[in-house]
Amino acid sequence: TAATNAPTTAPTTATTTSTTTTTTTTTTTTTTTTDDFFGSTDDFFEGFNFGYNCVINGTTVFLEESFVGTLSGPWDDCITLALTPEACKEEIEKEEYIEEVIIADPNYAMDLMYKPCRVFIIVNFEGTFLDVPRRG
C-alpha cells in the first residue's frame, strides 16, 4: 500500500477581546458676583467725603452731603408773607451757610451745578415769585 500524504490542518482558535470604557464628566459651576470679586462699594468709598465747598465770608467751608439735608430752606414765608424779592433776599442772607442769593428773572442764565450755599429767587419780569426760593 502506498502512503498518502494528506495535508494536515491544525485547528485555528480565534480570541476576541472586548474593552468597554466608561467616561464620567463632572462639571462644577462657581458664580462670583462683582461685589464679591472686587469688594463691596462700601470698602471702595471708605475714606472719601462727599460734599460741597462753599465760601462763607471769605472762608471755604466743606459741607458733607449728609449735613446738606439739614440746612434751612425752602423759604415759603417769602411768598406767604408777600415779601418783595429784595426783602426776601435780605431775610435769606441772615441764615447760616448762605454764600450767594440771586434774584433771577426769566433771562438769567442759571448753571445746572447744585450749590447748597446758593439760593435762587426766581421771579418774572414784574418781580412776582415764580417758585419758592430754594437752595441750589
Side-chain angles (χ1 to χ4, degrees), residues 74-92 101-106 110 119-134:
W75 288 270
D76 298 327
D77 288 349
C78 289
I79 296 173
T80 57
L81 298 176
L83 297 178
T84 65
E86 291 76 16
C88 179
K89 179 179 178 178
E90 289 175 15
E91 290 300 313
I92 293 171
V101 180
I102 300 167
I103 298 174
D105 65 31
M110 287 189 222
V119 176
F120 282 109
I121 300 173
I122 302 171
V123 298
N124 63 14
F125 288 116
E126 290 77 39
T128 305
F129 291 96
L130 295 177
D131 198 3
V132 175
R134 64 186 74 243

Side-chain angles (χ1 to χ4, degrees), residues 59-119:
T59 304
T60 301
V61 178
F62 179 79
L63 302 179
E64 289 189 23
E65 189 172 6
S66 60
F67 177 72
V68 169
T70 67
L71 296 175
S72 59
W75 288 270
D76 298 327
D77 288 349
C78 289
I79 296 173
T80 57
L81 298 176
L83 297 178
T84 65
E86 291 76 16
C88 179
K89 179 179 178 178
E90 289 175 15
E91 290 300 313
I92 293 171
E93 288 174 336
K94 295 176 186 175
E95 299 282 339
E96 286 187 312
Y97 302 107
I98 298 294
E99 178 178 350
E100 181 179 27
V101 180
I102 300 167
I103 298 174
D105 65 31
N107 288 334
Y108 185 84
M110 287 189 222
D111 65 41
L112 298 178
M113 170 118 25
Y114 177 77
K115 297 178 183 175
C117 298
R118 173 178 64 185
V119 176

Side-chain angles (χ1 to χ4, degrees), residues 14-25:
T15 305
T16 304
T17 305
S18 173
T19 304
T20 303
T21 305
T22 305
T23 304
T24 304
T25 303

